[in-house]
Amino acid sequence: MICVECGAAIQSTYRDYGKGNIRLARCPSCHKTADKYVEWQFMIIFLDMILHKPQVYRHILFNRLKYRDFGISPTLLKLIPAFVSFDAYLKWFRFSKYYTAENPQKLVALTASGELPPFESHSALFILSLVELALHLIGVLIM
């Protein structure tokens, strides 16, 4: 288990006093609550995931899932292609809307010069999503 604020190793994230009474542990390094997400509902955790807060990813990867020697659960690894595909779709949707609805003159200029608009290269958007995911995971694990 780790502190979601500073990443320091801790013994446990909470102490159980029985009958559903728990007390969240404090981190000895940063003196903040070690893992505030222990008592939060899934919907709030999901909202923090959408906001890309590194603390929530630390909570899920290190404190919520069973520990593995290589760090990431195989179940989570199976979901990565779905996450990357969904992210590439969102990028395609935003680019196509930007170039067709809001700036049609940019689309005309690109097609006249023989270049493809950015949203026509699906493989490039997929690779961009993979690179963003890798950089995000590196940032979460380092921070």
Side-chain angles (χ1 to χ4, degrees):
M1 305 234 168
I2 66 166
C3 171
V4 296
E5 298 296 331
C6 68
I10 56 172
Q11 292 295 323
S12 85
T13 55
Y14 64 93
R15 180 175 293 157
D16 190 3
Y17 291 107
K19 296 183 182 179
N21 295 327
I22 64 169
R23 182 179 174 129
L24 298 179
R26 293 242 175 229
C27 174
S29 298
C30 66
H31 304 291
K32 294 181 180 176
T33 303
D35 191 353
K36 61 186 175 190
Y37 296 103
V38 169
E39 59 183 10
W40 287 19
Q41 293 180 355
F42 176 73
M43 187 54 66
I44 297 172
I45 292 173
F46 182 71
L47 290 173
D48 279 358
M49 286 176 64
I50 291 173
L51 295 173
H52 293 295
K53 292 187 177 181
Q55 293 89 353
V56 74
Y57 289 103
R58 287 188 195 124
H59 165 74
I60 291 171
L61 290 174
F62 296 107
N63 296 346
R64 185 94 182 241
L65 299 175
K66 290 179 101 177
Y67 178 75
R68 306 274 185 208
D69 287 336
F70 56 89
I72 299 175
S73 170
T75 306
L76 193 61
L77 291 176
K78 291 176 186 175
L79 291 175
I80 288 177
F83 292 146
V84 171
S85 298
F86 185 66
D87 189 44
Y89 170 74
L90 289 176
K91 285 181 188 350
W92 169 82
F93 184 74
R94 279 188 244 130
F95 274 132
S96 64
K97 187 173 182 174
Y98 175 76
Y99 276 98
T100 54
E102 297 174 8
N103 295 315
Q105 67 275 11
K106 286 187 179 184
L107 183 62
V108 171
L110 281 174
T111 52
S113 65
E115 296 180 31
L116 283 176
F119 64 89
E120 290 296 328
S121 178
H122 300 293
S123 60
L125 294 175
F126 190 76
I127 291 170
L128 178 64
S129 295
L130 279 175
V131 169
E132 283 183 356
L133 175 69
L135 290 174
H136 184 71
L137 287 176
I138 290 169
V140 166
L141 295 174
I142 290 175
M143 302 298 278

